[in-house]
Amino acid sequence: MTLTQLEIFTTVAEFKSFTLAAMKLNISQSAVSHAVKSLEKDLNVTLFVREQNHTTLSEIGNILLMRAHNMLSIQESMIQEAQAANGLKKGVLRIGSFGPGSSSRILPPILAQYRRQYPLINIIVDEGDDESVIHWLQDKRIDIGFVILPDERFDTFKVKEDQMVAILPLGHPLAEYDKVSLKQLCEFPFNLTQAGSGKTVMDLFHAQKLVPKIQFKTRQLLSTFSLVARGEAVSIVAQLAIPEGAQDLVIKPLTPAIKRTIAFAINNESEASPATKAFIKIAKAMHS
């Protein structure tokens, strides 16, 4: 078993395709297949279930994927530690973000400063919903990610306060109120944004034993804003996710207020790679 085999294994698992993994790694598909078969032979297990146009992890493959990510993470940390002895120059930093609020409002100034100091570090930002970022952290697919506090599973530090707000079309009956309640929103067609904090929104309704009239489910916030602007639904989103200068929308605080604290999280700060520690240092200086 080699680290190269593990890298190929994790890439096939990520893309669910031998062909796409070969393209990503810039090697032949036969080389990918050979590496996976050799790894399966070494471990005496079947890692993937191969169908005509579909490749999925087997049960044991899914278990071993986390181990593979751990081993590759240790390798990357060792390489960076060695390079850091002569000044941090090269490496990879993987960041998990849960949407526009974090990707467009929080990350840009931090990344700009980071790139100025460490121009040769390769930065990869993956976007997913809140739960996906947590899973990526737990599986060590990313080095650092955004979470909502409190979260005792990781080492965290606060970066921003945010709140959930209602968004309404212009001229909507609720637009005359200073604040709106979840109960009031239940009287109108509702759009559930499944990106980012979709689960959080439903948890808010369930906590008050309310059921919104969900008529739309969108995966992109732009679709949410468009639906609301056309007067087809109302919705709830994180305030930071709303673009500056958004038009044809009325934004109202919720009552009672529903605030959330956004934080950066890592599995263990003391074991973080040099590239990750450098990012944390910059982020803390900008959000202290």
Side-chain angles (χ1 to χ4, degrees), residues 94-98 133 137 142-147 263-266:
R94 297 177 176 85
I95 303 171
S97 173
F98 49 47
V133 174
L137 278 165
I142 56 176
D143 302 300
I144 189 164
F146 286 96
V147 298
F264 279 120
I266 56 177

Side-chain angles (χ1 to χ4, degrees), residues 1-14 18 21-22 25 27 30-45 47-48 50 57 61 64-65 67-69 71-72 75:
M1 180 175 64
T2 68
L3 291 171
T4 298
Q5 289 174 333
L6 295 180
E7 181 182 11
I8 292 172
F9 164 48
T10 59
T11 306
V12 173
E14 177 183 359
F18 283 70
L25 297 169
I27 58 177
S30 61
V32 171
S33 297
H34 177 73
V36 172
K37 287 180 181 178
S38 296
L39 183 58
E40 289 178 324
K41 183 178 179 181
D42 291 343
L43 297 173
N44 194 30
V45 296
L47 297 171
F48 293 100
R50 301 168 179 83
L57 283 165
L64 294 179
L65 180 62
R67 302 296 187 189
H69 280 304
M71 294 176 71
L72 291 172
Q75 178 199 30

Side-chain angles (χ1 to χ4, degrees), residues 105 163-170 172 174-180 225 228 235-254:
R105 299 287 189 91
Q163 66 175 336
M164 306 303 292
V165 295
I167 54 173
L168 316 167
L170 297 176
H172 192 274
L174 295 180
E176 64 183 57
Y177 293 87
D178 292 333
K179 300 177 182 180
V180 298
F225 299 142
V228 174
S235 191
I236 294 175
V237 298
Q239 189 166 28
L240 278 176
I242 302 173
E244 294 182 3
Q247 299 180 344
D248 301 324
L249 295 175
V250 176
I251 303 167
K252 293 292 181 179
L254 295 172

Side-chain angles (χ1 to χ4, degrees), residues 73-134:
S73 177
I74 292 171
Q75 178 199 30
E76 176 63 25
S77 293
M78 289 181 66
I79 292 172
Q80 290 185 21
E81 291 285 0
Q83 292 173 340
N86 297 311
L88 183 59
K89 296 179 180 179
K90 295 183 179 180
V92 178
L93 177 66
R94 297 177 176 85
I95 303 171
S97 173
F98 49 47
S102 51
S103 297
S104 64
R105 299 287 189 91
I106 300 175
L107 272 180
I110 301 174
L111 293 182
Q113 178 68 18
Y114 190 87
R115 288 190 176 102
R116 283 194 291 269
Q117 294 188 32
Y118 308 102
L120 298 182
I121 298 293
N122 183 24
I123 302 170
I124 300 171
V125 180
D126 284 333
E127 278 196 0
D129 58 32
D130 302 24
E131 291 299 315
S132 292
V133 174
I134 288 171

Side-chain angles (χ1 to χ4, degrees), residues 1-2 14 20 30 72 74 123 136 149 154 157 163 197 210 214 219 234 243:
M1 180 175 64
T2 68
E14 177 183 359
L20 295 178
S30 61
L72 291 172
I74 292 171
I123 302 170
W136 295 342
L149 296 182
F154 310 107
F157 65 93
Q163 66 175 336
S197 55
L210 296 171
I214 298 175
R219 292 196 174 276
V234 299

